[in-house]
Amino acid sequence: MSTFMQLTINGAGSGAVFALLALGFVIIYRASGAVNFAHGSLVLVAGYITVRAQESMGITVAAILGVLGAGVLAVIIERVLVARTRGGDPIALVLLTIGVDVVIVEEVARRLGSSAPFVRVPWANEVIHVGQITVLKGQIVALCFGLVIIAVLFALFRFTGWGLAMRAQAEHREAAALMGVRNTQVTAAAWLIAGVLAGIAVLFLATPDFAGGGVSRATHSLVLVAFPAAIIGGLDSTNGAVIGGFIVGLTGAYSQQYVSFEFARVAVYLVMLAVLVVRPSGLFGTKEVQRV
Amino acid sequence: MQRRVVPMLSASGLVVGYGANRSVLDRVDLSVPDSGVVAVLGSNGAGKSTLLRTLSGTLSFHGGALHDGQVKLDDRPIQRLSAASIARAGVVQVPEGRKIFAKMTVEENLRVGAVCTPPGRRASARERVMELFPRLAERLEQRAGLLSGGEQQMLAMGRAVMASPRVLLLDEPSLGLAPKLIEQIGDIVTEISAQGTPVVLVEQNAAMALRVAATAVVLEVGRVAMSGEAEQLKDSDGIHDLYLGGHSHPAAQDVDGEVEGEATDLPRRRLARWTA
Ligand SMILES: Nc1ncnc2c1ncn2[C@@H]1O[C@H](COP(=O)(O)OP(=O)(O)O)[C@@H](O)[C@H]1O
Ligand SMILES: [Mg+2]
């Protein structure tokens, strides 16, 4: 029983981080109508900025720089490249983001060389004992921090003018414009937020507690696990992204323990396929999504 | 009715097309005074929606473009502004087919309507909407997609009124509604205009439109075929035959023999036949 509790907490901690990444996919999908395959590169750039800056400036400032860096990079990608293809072929948009991803990842990997530095968060490598169970402090922090960010984000969507404008635009671009919503600003803001979420996620992903690897190509491939999270939840559903994130986190944790480490990698994709067979647009997605 | 000489919103010499079809509108003029209802009549495909899209700056959403002509709001050219800027300047359109935000609640739809209204004016706009559309007030927490057709039309109009428009553009609000509801929509349009908001009312239902309008223009394949006081137009032979159900035209059927429009809606039916 205590093993199960331990797995659940660890899985939920990872799940919260995957939820942040999946939310990024969903927010961008809703704003620009395409999956952002450059999301991994945003994570990597944020991680790279953070590890480079943490020696001289300390982790707090470094983390803020990394998060902002990812946000700004996301806006640049949107403004300079994605916005120009508006109304174009969604496939072209997907290929565009893949291209951007390759370029950025190669550049960061080149700069890193063979090193894979950890983001040096103060809670790394610590464990907490609660009764019989032992959990990594990093997973608890990820869970709490992730939940707070998700709550703030959902409050923004629900209660602020920007959030309303964004939801309105996702449903009907023209109708939103007719109410004075500036499509370009809302879309850029969506990418900014997705970038910021990616930047926050790497502060957990690239620590010893999470996957055992520092900022490297491996960090980038971890992001690919968040993609099934978004698909499982439904690409256009923010609720779905959160649920999907936790499903992925927990699936990974349980299958690693009860089956095997190798199977854990596959398990997430099996869950995704199972969901897609039953509900082609994901658990919470709108049917219409399939047009892309 | 006494009207000022300078119109609030005016369009002149509009030439508008979609892609290769460059003259869906062919030198169309329209003048909207600062009070009252202007009806834009015409059969299916005449260019009514295209005219409204030109005024609201939403042609680009449909792959359309303005090739010539000018749209002015109080003497200021606005045809190069974005749709959002035009809306913020006070020209607010309810698009064809309502286009409410189906996944949001009624309340949220209305709040979207007011996102660009200064916070100080929102409360009074809301009050106005609640009075104009008591049915919406009863359904604020309901998901908009679950409303009936009539309620969705009211929501679309209410959302636009939330923006405190200077001019309201309505694209076929009666479409698909039962006769009783059409009457009601007509009354609401009258009320909105009586409260001081001029309205451009695009309709195929000429009976309703001419009842509430002070002036009207009739579009025929992208040109203004007739224009004038609504009273006079109502009595003119052409309008009577073609739009108010005088006698049906000999060349009545569509090519494929189908009759477009709502089966319950007689005037529309006649009109659709005439189209062919
Ligand atoms: N998005 C579009 N793309 C291409 N042609 C269009 C589009 N919208 C309308 N048209 C054409 O423009 C003409 C006028 O259409 P429209 O303005 O919708 O007429 P109405 O609203 O009077 O029924 C029609 O011939 C129609 O086929
Ligand atoms: Mg139309």
PDB file of all heavy atoms in Angstrom, chain A residues 1-7 9 127-136 140:
ATOM      1  N   MET A   1       0.826  -1.204   0.000  1.00  0.00           N
ATOM      2  CA  MET A   1       0.000   0.000   0.000  1.00  0.00           C
ATOM      3  C   MET A   1       0.863   1.259   0.000  1.00  0.00           C
ATOM      4  O   MET A   1       0.621   2.206  -0.716  1.00  0.00           O
ATOM      5  CB  MET A   1      -0.928  -0.014   1.225  1.00  0.00           C
ATOM      6  CG  MET A   1      -2.074   0.991   1.130  1.00  0.00           C
ATOM      7  SD  MET A   1      -3.096   0.676  -0.331  1.00  0.00           S
ATOM      8  CE  MET A   1      -3.610   2.326  -0.726  1.00  0.00           C
ATOM      9  N   SER A   2       1.904   1.227   0.813  1.00  0.00           N
ATOM     10  CA  SER A   2       2.720   2.434   0.886  1.00  0.00           C
ATOM     11  C   SER A   2       3.465   2.673  -0.420  1.00  0.00           C
ATOM     12  O   SER A   2       3.689   3.813  -0.815  1.00  0.00           O
ATOM     13  CB  SER A   2       3.699   2.351   2.059  1.00  0.00           C
ATOM     14  OG  SER A   2       4.652   1.342   1.804  1.00  0.00           O
ATOM     15  N   THR A   3       3.795   1.576  -1.095  1.00  0.00           N
ATOM     16  CA  THR A   3       4.429   1.743  -2.404  1.00  0.00           C
ATOM     17  C   THR A   3       3.469   2.444  -3.359  1.00  0.00           C
ATOM     18  O   THR A   3       3.847   3.347  -4.099  1.00  0.00           O
ATOM     19  CB  THR A   3       4.800   0.371  -3.012  1.00  0.00           C
ATOM     20  OG1 THR A   3       5.493  -0.369  -2.041  1.00  0.00           O
ATOM     21  CG2 THR A   3       5.621   0.538  -4.262  1.00  0.00           C
ATOM     22  N   PHE A   4       2.234   2.008  -3.299  1.00  0.00           N
ATOM     23  CA  PHE A   4       1.227   2.586  -4.180  1.00  0.00           C
ATOM     24  C   PHE A   4       1.062   4.088  -3.900  1.00  0.00           C
ATOM     25  O   PHE A   4       1.028   4.903  -4.822  1.00  0.00           O
ATOM     26  CB  PHE A   4      -0.113   1.863  -3.992  1.00  0.00           C
ATOM     27  CG  PHE A   4      -1.196   2.383  -4.875  1.00  0.00           C
ATOM     28  CD1 PHE A   4      -1.244   2.045  -6.222  1.00  0.00           C
ATOM     29  CD2 PHE A   4      -2.162   3.241  -4.369  1.00  0.00           C
ATOM     30  CE1 PHE A   4      -2.236   2.550  -7.040  1.00  0.00           C
ATOM     31  CE2 PHE A   4      -3.158   3.752  -5.191  1.00  0.00           C
ATOM     32  CZ  PHE A   4      -3.192   3.397  -6.521  1.00  0.00           C
ATOM     33  N   MET A   5       0.996   4.439  -2.632  1.00  0.00           N
ATOM     34  CA  MET A   5       0.876   5.861  -2.264  1.00  0.00           C
ATOM     35  C   MET A   5       2.076   6.659  -2.781  1.00  0.00           C
ATOM     36  O   MET A   5       1.931   7.750  -3.330  1.00  0.00           O
ATOM     37  CB  MET A   5       0.822   6.001  -0.730  1.00  0.00           C
ATOM     38  CG  MET A   5      -0.540   5.735  -0.115  1.00  0.00           C
ATOM     39  SD  MET A   5      -1.804   6.804  -0.817  1.00  0.00           S
ATOM     40  CE  MET A   5      -1.185   8.409  -0.290  1.00  0.00           C
ATOM     41  N   GLN A   6       3.224   6.055  -2.583  1.00  0.00           N
ATOM     42  CA  GLN A   6       4.455   6.707  -3.029  1.00  0.00           C
ATOM     43  C   GLN A   6       4.424   6.954  -4.544  1.00  0.00           C
ATOM     44  O   GLN A   6       4.728   8.042  -5.022  1.00  0.00           O
ATOM     45  CB  GLN A   6       5.608   5.770  -2.700  1.00  0.00           C
ATOM     46  CG  GLN A   6       6.893   6.436  -2.432  1.00  0.00           C
ATOM     47  CD  GLN A   6       7.824   5.449  -1.763  1.00  0.00           C
ATOM     48  OE1 GLN A   6       7.483   4.828  -0.740  1.00  0.00           O
ATOM     49  NE2 GLN A   6       8.994   5.254  -2.352  1.00  0.00           N
ATOM     50  N   LEU A   7       4.018   5.898  -5.261  1.00  0.00           N
ATOM     51  CA  LEU A   7       3.940   6.017  -6.722  1.00  0.00           C
ATOM     52  C   LEU A   7       2.926   7.078  -7.128  1.00  0.00           C
ATOM     53  O   LEU A   7       3.137   7.840  -8.073  1.00  0.00           O
ATOM     54  CB  LEU A   7       3.526   4.677  -7.333  1.00  0.00           C
ATOM     55  CG  LEU A   7       4.546   3.552  -7.264  1.00  0.00           C
ATOM     56  CD1 LEU A   7       3.910   2.253  -7.730  1.00  0.00           C
ATOM     57  CD2 LEU A   7       5.760   3.906  -8.105  1.00  0.00           C
ATOM     58  N   ILE A   9       1.963   9.736  -5.480  1.00  0.00           N
ATOM     59  CA  ILE A   9       2.452  11.105  -5.272  1.00  0.00           C
ATOM     60  C   ILE A   9       3.515  11.465  -6.311  1.00  0.00           C
ATOM     61  O   ILE A   9       3.486  12.540  -6.912  1.00  0.00           O
ATOM     62  CB  ILE A   9       3.002  11.255  -3.837  1.00  0.00           C
ATOM     63  CG1 ILE A   9       1.834  11.127  -2.849  1.00  0.00           C
ATOM     64  CG2 ILE A   9       3.692  12.602  -3.676  1.00  0.00           C
ATOM     65  CD1 ILE A   9       2.244  11.165  -1.403  1.00  0.00           C
ATOM     66  N   VAL A 127      14.421  13.975   0.248  1.00  0.00           N
ATOM     67  CA  VAL A 127      13.234  13.135   0.390  1.00  0.00           C
ATOM     68  C   VAL A 127      12.461  13.570   1.631  1.00  0.00           C
ATOM     69  O   VAL A 127      12.998  14.196   2.542  1.00  0.00           O
ATOM     70  CB  VAL A 127      13.584  11.635   0.516  1.00  0.00           C
ATOM     71  CG1 VAL A 127      14.100  11.095  -0.802  1.00  0.00           C
ATOM     72  CG2 VAL A 127      14.589  11.428   1.636  1.00  0.00           C
ATOM     73  N   ILE A 128      11.179  13.286   1.586  1.00  0.00           N
ATOM     74  CA  ILE A 128      10.329  13.577   2.742  1.00  0.00           C
ATOM     75  C   ILE A 128       9.729  12.264   3.206  1.00  0.00           C
ATOM     76  O   ILE A 128       9.281  11.452   2.394  1.00  0.00           O
ATOM     77  CB  ILE A 128       9.196  14.542   2.340  1.00  0.00           C
ATOM     78  CG1 ILE A 128       9.783  15.851   1.816  1.00  0.00           C
ATOM     79  CG2 ILE A 128       8.281  14.811   3.522  1.00  0.00           C
ATOM     80  CD1 ILE A 128       8.735  16.844   1.378  1.00  0.00           C
ATOM     81  N   HIS A 129       9.723  12.058   4.506  1.00  0.00           N
ATOM     82  CA  HIS A 129       9.086  10.868   5.059  1.00  0.00           C
ATOM     83  C   HIS A 129       7.767  11.256   5.686  1.00  0.00           C
ATOM     84  O   HIS A 129       7.702  12.149   6.500  1.00  0.00           O
ATOM     85  CB  HIS A 129       9.969  10.215   6.125  1.00  0.00           C
ATOM     86  CG  HIS A 129      11.319   9.850   5.600  1.00  0.00           C
ATOM     87  ND1 HIS A 129      11.541   8.716   4.857  1.00  0.00           N
ATOM     88  CD2 HIS A 129      12.513  10.484   5.685  1.00  0.00           C
ATOM     89  CE1 HIS A 129      12.813   8.647   4.523  1.00  0.00           C
ATOM     90  NE2 HIS A 129      13.424   9.725   5.010  1.00  0.00           N
ATOM     91  N   VAL A 130       6.718  10.610   5.213  1.00  0.00           N
ATOM     92  CA  VAL A 130       5.413  10.813   5.851  1.00  0.00           C
ATOM     93  C   VAL A 130       4.929   9.431   6.257  1.00  0.00           C
ATOM     94  O   VAL A 130       4.545   8.624   5.412  1.00  0.00           O
ATOM     95  CB  VAL A 130       4.398  11.453   4.889  1.00  0.00           C
ATOM     96  CG1 VAL A 130       3.115  11.817   5.640  1.00  0.00           C
ATOM     97  CG2 VAL A 130       4.997  12.663   4.204  1.00  0.00           C
ATOM     98  N   GLY A 131       4.966   9.162   7.561  1.00  0.00           N
ATOM     99  CA  GLY A 131       4.623   7.821   8.017  1.00  0.00           C
ATOM    100  C   GLY A 131       5.563   6.820   7.362  1.00  0.00           C
ATOM    101  O   GLY A 131       6.782   6.958   7.454  1.00  0.00           O
ATOM    102  N   GLN A 132       4.991   5.887   6.643  1.00  0.00           N
ATOM    103  CA  GLN A 132       5.809   4.847   6.047  1.00  0.00           C
ATOM    104  C   GLN A 132       6.310   5.200   4.660  1.00  0.00           C
ATOM    105  O   GLN A 132       7.143   4.498   4.111  1.00  0.00           O
ATOM    106  CB  GLN A 132       4.996   3.554   5.957  1.00  0.00           C
ATOM    107  CG  GLN A 132       4.726   2.946   7.333  1.00  0.00           C
ATOM    108  CD  GLN A 132       4.427   1.483   7.199  1.00  0.00           C
ATOM    109  OE1 GLN A 132       3.667   1.099   6.316  1.00  0.00           O
ATOM    110  NE2 GLN A 132       5.028   0.661   8.045  1.00  0.00           N
ATOM    111  N   ILE A 133       5.732   6.250   4.101  1.00  0.00           N
ATOM    112  CA  ILE A 133       6.106   6.506   2.713  1.00  0.00           C
ATOM    113  C   ILE A 133       7.187   7.567   2.604  1.00  0.00           C
ATOM    114  O   ILE A 133       7.271   8.511   3.397  1.00  0.00           O
ATOM    115  CB  ILE A 133       4.892   6.884   1.836  1.00  0.00           C
ATOM    116  CG1 ILE A 133       4.127   8.044   2.450  1.00  0.00           C
ATOM    117  CG2 ILE A 133       4.011   5.698   1.577  1.00  0.00           C
ATOM    118  CD1 ILE A 133       2.985   8.501   1.591  1.00  0.00           C
ATOM    119  N   THR A 134       7.995   7.362   1.604  1.00  0.00           N
ATOM    120  CA  THR A 134       9.089   8.266   1.327  1.00  0.00           C
ATOM    121  C   THR A 134       8.882   8.838  -0.065  1.00  0.00           C
ATOM    122  O   THR A 134       8.721   8.078  -1.022  1.00  0.00           O
ATOM    123  CB  THR A 134      10.425   7.502   1.347  1.00  0.00           C
ATOM    124  OG1 THR A 134      10.488   6.736   2.546  1.00  0.00           O
ATOM    125  CG2 THR A 134      11.592   8.454   1.268  1.00  0.00           C
ATOM    126  N   VAL A 135       8.835  10.143  -0.155  1.00  0.00           N
ATOM    127  CA  VAL A 135       8.670  10.723  -1.488  1.00  0.00           C
ATOM    128  C   VAL A 135       9.737  11.768  -1.730  1.00  0.00           C
ATOM    129  O   VAL A 135      10.294  12.349  -0.796  1.00  0.00           O
ATOM    130  CB  VAL A 135       7.277  11.366  -1.665  1.00  0.00           C
ATOM    131  CG1 VAL A 135       6.200  10.301  -1.761  1.00  0.00           C
ATOM    132  CG2 VAL A 135       6.978  12.337  -0.562  1.00  0.00           C
ATOM    133  N   LEU A 136       9.997  12.009  -3.001  1.00  0.00           N
ATOM    134  CA  LEU A 136      10.958  13.033  -3.364  1.00  0.00           C
ATOM    135  C   LEU A 136      10.337  14.403  -3.161  1.00  0.00           C
ATOM    136  O   LEU A 136       9.205  14.652  -3.573  1.00  0.00           O
ATOM    137  CB  LEU A 136      11.351  12.872  -4.832  1.00  0.00           C
ATOM    138  CG  LEU A 136      12.187  11.633  -5.160  1.00  0.00           C
ATOM    139  CD1 LEU A 136      12.227  11.416  -6.665  1.00  0.00           C
ATOM    140  CD2 LEU A 136      13.584  11.811  -4.596  1.00  0.00           C
ATOM    141  N   ILE A 140       6.813  16.685  -4.749  1.00  0.00           N
ATOM    142  CA  ILE A 140       5.804  17.415  -3.967  1.00  0.00           C
ATOM    143  C   ILE A 140       5.764  18.877  -4.411  1.00  0.00           C
ATOM    144  O   ILE A 140       4.695  19.457  -4.638  1.00  0.00           O
ATOM    145  CB  ILE A 140       6.141  17.358  -2.456  1.00  0.00           C
ATOM    146  CG1 ILE A 140       6.218  15.912  -1.977  1.00  0.00           C
ATOM    147  CG2 ILE A 140       5.138  18.183  -1.675  1.00  0.00           C
ATOM    148  CD1 ILE A 140       4.907  15.325  -1.559  1.00  0.00           C
TER     149      ILE A 140
END
